């Protein structure tokens, strides 16, 4: 694992953060730094908002249903809203007792809280939270990409994240945007050596999706790596590193323990997931379905896109490794890909799960950022139109949940 940059390492803009300016003035406070960061990120966030607004507009233009009926009332969205309204105790016809415990608690808790203090239904609150989280996620993607690849690449990466084939999920009442926001800012915290912040974000990520394990692994692995002995490492923040490594797993582990207590079995959560058809088999399930897709004479559009997304993700991960991307990004990207492709379950969800592995977009964003602006934005505009059309297909034509 490559050594993490220190606080005095020049960032992507070539300036080294310091606590005092050359004239001796104190470094700006947190509010000033956040404001400055927002000013740098606003072009990316504005372009992202336009891309997602286009996607939603195309969906609504092709659906007789209203916005919330299309984006906040179907598939997993309905489960999260139901949990927010009724809680977890319930029995399902297929999955049996404790079936709702497969859905982690942070998102439904936020929905319930927002619906309680705002004049919103639980369904509307779920969608508003997901949309706000998508903005924070896009900002987090920008912050990470700017740190490691520069501002222009960061802008392109954010737009690309907003127009990937399954980007429609970023406008639905799903947990992908909330999780991506937590993961991206946790990565940024590790890159800037804010270990306690990274650990707290990992806790919340572990309470959002099962793939929160990837964020936990990233934080713990990087913290422990920093603790390794070596020359010139006497000033390591040992206490903060140990605290981060100990705190980061608490969210996921506490939920695992709570479900075990409710189920009366130490592996209660794993049993609940098995009832939903989800286990870890090392990728055999994914390979079987890929072989079935490519072995058919007639392939549905969604299956073809999912298979292409999986193949592209593997290739892009290899490119990231060959390009020697920073260690935290590689640990997170590898962990996400292993979890996503190594588990059984609903094959159509694989591409949706990979939405959160935004690190894989960097090898595509970097060369596009070096192209002429007219060429880059023409390519992105065309991709946005195709993504919007495909998103409309997923929600208005396809019979499968994304």
């Amino acid at each position: 694992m490559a050594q993490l940059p220190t606080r005095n390492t020049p960032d992507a803009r070539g300036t080294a953060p310091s606590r005092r300016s050359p004239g001796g003035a104190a470094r700006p406070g947190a509010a000033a730094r956040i404001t400055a960061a927002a000013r740098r990120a606003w072009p990316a966030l504005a372009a992202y908002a336009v891309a997602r607004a286009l996607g939603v507009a195309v969906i609504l233009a092709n659906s007789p249903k209203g916005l919330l009926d299309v984006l906040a009332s179907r598939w997993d969205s309905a489960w999260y809203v139901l949990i927010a309204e009724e809680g977890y105790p319930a029995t399902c016809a297929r999955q049996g007792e404790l079936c709702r415990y497969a859905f982690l608690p942070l998102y439904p808790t936020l929905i319930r809280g927002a619906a309680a203090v705002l004049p919103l239904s639980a369904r509307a609150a779920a969608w508003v939270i997901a949309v706000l989280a998508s903005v924070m996620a896009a900002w987090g993607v920008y912050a990470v990409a700017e740190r490691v690849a520069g501002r222009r690449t960061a802008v392109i990466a954010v737009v690309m994240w907003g127009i990937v084939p399954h980007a429609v999920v970023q406008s639905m009442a799903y947990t992908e945007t909330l999780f991506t926001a937590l993961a991206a800012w946790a990565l940024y915290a590790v890159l800037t050596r804010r270990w306690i912040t990274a650990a707290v974000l990992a806790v919340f990520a572990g309470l959002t999706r099962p793939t929160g394990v990837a964020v936990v692994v990233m934080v713990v692995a990087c913290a422990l790596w920093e603790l390794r002995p070596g020359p010139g490492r006497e000033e390591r923040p040992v206490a903060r590193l140990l605290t981060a490594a100990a705190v980061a797993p608490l969210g996921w582990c506490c939920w695992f323990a709570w479900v075990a207590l409710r189920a009366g079995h130490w592996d209660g959560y794993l049993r609940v997931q098995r009832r939903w058809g989800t286990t870890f088999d090392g990728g055999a399930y994914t390979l079987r379905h890929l072989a079935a897709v490519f072995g058919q004479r007639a392939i549905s559009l969604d299956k073809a896109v999912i298979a292409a997304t999986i193949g592209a993700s593997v290739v892009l991960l290899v490119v990231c490794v060959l390009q020697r991307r920073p260690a935290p990004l590689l640990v997170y990207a590898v962990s996400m890909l292993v979890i996503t492709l190594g588990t059984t379950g609903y094959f159509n969800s694989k591409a949706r799960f990979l939405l959160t592995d935004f690190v894989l977009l960097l090898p595509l964003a970097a060369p596009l950022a070096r192209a002429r602006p007219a060429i880059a934005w023409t390519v992105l505009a065309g991709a946005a139109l195709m993504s919007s059309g495909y998103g409309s297909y997923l929600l208005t034509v396809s019979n499968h949940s994304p």
Side-chain angles (χ1 to χ4, degrees), residues 144-394:
V144 171
E146 183 194 34
R147 183 81 185 181
V148 303
R151 187 178 186 187
R152 189 170 179 185
T153 298
V155 173
I156 299 295
V158 169
V159 177
M160 292 184 71
W161 185 67
I163 60 175
V164 293
H166 281 70
V168 62
V169 176
Q170 298 171 20
S171 300
M172 298 177 67
Y174 271 51
T175 57
E176 271 71 20
T177 56
L178 178 60
F179 179 82
T180 303
L182 294 167
W185 286 108
L187 271 168
Y188 182 77
V190 170
L191 289 170
T192 55
R193 305 172 71 86
R194 293 171 171 86
W195 296 105
I196 302 303
T197 300
V200 172
L201 291 169
V203 169
F204 286 122
L207 292 171
T208 304
R209 295 184 57 79
T211 48
V213 172
V215 184
V216 173
V217 168
M218 183 272 297
V219 173
V220 172
C222 291
L224 295 179
W225 182 254
E226 283 293 288
L227 286 169
R228 73 192 190 281
R233 307 183 61 80
E234 293 78 9
E235 297 182 0
R236 290 171 298 175
V238 174
R240 290 202 299 274
L241 290 166
L242 290 174
T243 300
V247 169
L250 290 182
W252 195 92
C253 290
C254 285
W255 184 247
F256 190 94
W258 174 248
V259 179
L261 182 64
R262 298 290 297 171
H265 302 280
W266 72 270
D267 62 343
Y269 180 73
L270 300 180
R271 295 188 181 201
V272 171
Q273 288 287 3
R274 280 197 294 270
R275 292 171 190 166
W276 283 91
T278 301
T279 58
F280 187 84
D281 70 349
Y285 170 90
T286 302
L287 289 174
R288 285 198 305 271
H289 278 72
L290 286 175
V293 169
F294 290 113
Q296 296 173 354
R297 290 186 176 181
I299 305 175
S300 64
L301 178 59
D302 53 347
K303 291 290 179 63
V305 172
I306 293 164
T309 300
I310 292 173
S313 297
V314 174
V315 172
L316 290 172
L317 177 62
V318 173
V319 175
C320 284
V321 173
L322 294 177
Q323 291 179 341
R324 302 174 71 92
R325 294 291 177 183
L329 274 63
L330 294 179
V331 173
Y332 174 75
V334 170
S335 300
M336 279 299 309
L337 205 62
V338 168
I339 294 170
T340 300
L341 303 187
T343 54
T344 63
Y346 182 51
F347 180 72
N348 285 41
S349 66
K350 299 295 184 184
R352 168 165 61 89
F353 293 167
L354 289 172
L355 273 177
T356 60
D357 206 353
F358 61 90
V359 172
L360 301 179
L361 294 174
L362 291 178
L364 297 176
L368 197 57
R370 293 192 294 269
R372 293 180 179 179
I375 295 175
W377 289 107
T378 299
V379 171
L380 292 174
L385 290 173
M386 290 190 290
S387 174
S388 298
Y390 181 66
S392 178
Y393 165 82
L394 286 175

Side-chain angles (χ1 to χ4, degrees), residues 6-18 40 146-147:
T6 66
R7 284 191 182 272
N8 291 323
T9 299
D11 63 11
R13 297 176 306 283
T15 59
S18 61
R40 292 197 307 274
E146 183 194 34
R147 183 81 185 181

Side-chain angles (χ1 to χ4, degrees), residues 39 42 60 70 79 83 97 111 121 125 150-151 170 190 214 277 282 306 311-312 342 358 367:
R39 287 175 179 168
W42 81 262
L60 296 181
V70 177
W79 282 103
I83 292 169
E97 191 179 4
I111 296 171
S121 65
R151 187 178 186 187
Q170 298 171 20
V190 170
I306 293 164
F358 61 90

